[in-house]
Amino acid sequence: MTEETHRPELWKDTGAVSISFDDGSDSQLEIAVPILDQFDLPATFYINPRVRSDLEPWRKVGLSGHEIGNHTVSHICSRNFGWSGKKSLETSSLSDIEDDILLAEERLRNLLPEQTERTFCYPCYQNHVGEGIDRQSYVPVIAKYFPAARGTGEAANHPELTDLHYLTSWIVSGWMSGSDLIKATQAAMAQKRWIIFVFHGMSSQKPSRWDPTSYYHGGGFSGQEFNIFCQYLSQNRVNIPTNTVLQIAKQIRRWRATE
Ligand SMILES: [Zn+2]
């Protein structure tokens, strides 16, 4: 048996794609989920399980083959954002963060007991508590509970070298087009890397111009452009495998365990 046939999955020789969404908005349910389902592409939705009634639609999404990931209950970020009245990472302890993550985990398990494991997503891509000389990473807390976690960064993930508990990702802005995403995918595949796209809100409009004042980088991503991207991934599924963050991370963990 050659080395290649030991591996049931192809993508280590091709690269891979994951499509992820943050913060669980209605526009994701209304615009993104139907397009993903039309093209049979599984995605990862990182939600904040706050109110039970808001969560119910995500149960159906999880049961249809998408991953429902943990994005904490309280979505604590740096106080530098200036969100008044919110908890901040600078004034939180590692155990505050751990409690919030475990509460989210309990609620997600109640919502969707059929999904027995999931990945984590760092709110605002930040992974620290405290500041200055007392600043600490909470990545080790995440590594205790999750097979992988998504942050952000410059390069796409090298399957053998990336830190599975702080995966890099490619943040999609509202002003981008489907062809921008296709080009980013092709660049990652040329390097045999795993590219994880991050979407926030979706929009029924064409891409808006870049707005430097918008936290969402120019508004939601256009459903029409998302359709173009998903159609491309679907037509190229043999050479460009697309799967949830959980499934790709598990595959990498299996490779690492046997090599
Ligand atoms: Zn978020």
Side-chain angles (χ1 to χ4, degrees), residues 6-22:
H6 276 299
R7 296 182 181 133
E9 299 92 355
L10 177 70
W11 82 261
K12 198 174 184 183
D13 302 315
T14 60
V17 174
S18 292
I19 301 171
S20 67
F21 293 84
D22 290 14

Side-chain angles (χ1 to χ4, degrees), residues 201-215:
M202 299 294 292
S203 160
S204 52
Q205 310 291 315
K206 292 281 272 178
S208 43
R209 291 168 66 88
W210 182 58
D211 172 6
T213 64
S214 165
Y215 175 65

Side-chain angles (χ1 to χ4, degrees), residues 144-211:
K144 276 196 322 195
Y145 299 108
F146 297 92
R150 201 211 73 208
T152 195
E154 295 297 317
N157 297 284
H158 188 300
E160 280 155 24
L161 305 177
T162 193
D163 181 351
L164 288 170
H165 292 100
Y166 195 88
L167 292 164
T168 74
S169 65
W170 208 82
I171 303 168
V172 176
S173 306
W175 49 270
M176 293 174 181
S177 67
S179 88
D180 291 331
L181 275 52
I182 292 169
K183 281 181 209 146
T185 299
Q186 289 168 340
M189 295 310 107
Q191 296 180 304
K192 300 184 188 344
R193 288 186 179 235
W194 173 24
I195 185 165
I196 306 175
F197 289 94
V198 180
F199 295 85
H200 287 89
M202 299 294 292
S203 160
S204 52
Q205 310 291 315
K206 292 281 272 178
S208 43
R209 291 168 66 88
W210 182 58
D211 172 6

Side-chain angles (χ1 to χ4, degrees), residues 30-95:
E30 288 157 15
I31 299 172
V33 171
I35 296 171
L36 289 162
D37 291 348
Q38 181 196 335
F39 290 108
D40 193 25
L41 294 170
T44 299
F45 292 86
Y46 292 108
I47 67 172
N48 312 101
R50 293 195 184 101
V51 188
R52 177 88 204 179
S53 57
D54 289 351
L55 286 178
E56 212 44 54
W58 296 103
R59 175 167 166 74
K60 196 173 150 225
V61 173
L63 287 177
S64 70
H66 300 292
E67 177 188 2
I68 304 299
N70 187 323
H71 196 36
T72 76
V73 174
S74 306
H75 204 281
I76 303 173
C77 295
S78 167
R79 67 180 169 203
N80 187 47
F81 285 102
W83 298 326
S84 60
K86 286 201 75 170
K87 297 176 193 168
S88 79
L89 289 170
E90 286 79 1
T91 53
S92 296
S93 66
L94 289 177
S95 66

Side-chain angles (χ1 to χ4, degrees), residues 121-141:
C121 171
Y122 296 92
C124 304
Y125 317 106
Q126 294 170 322
N127 62 78
H128 65 280
V129 294
E131 62 182 317
I133 202 164
D134 296 319
R135 180 162 163 153
Q136 287 176 280
S137 169
Y138 74 80
V139 172
V141 174

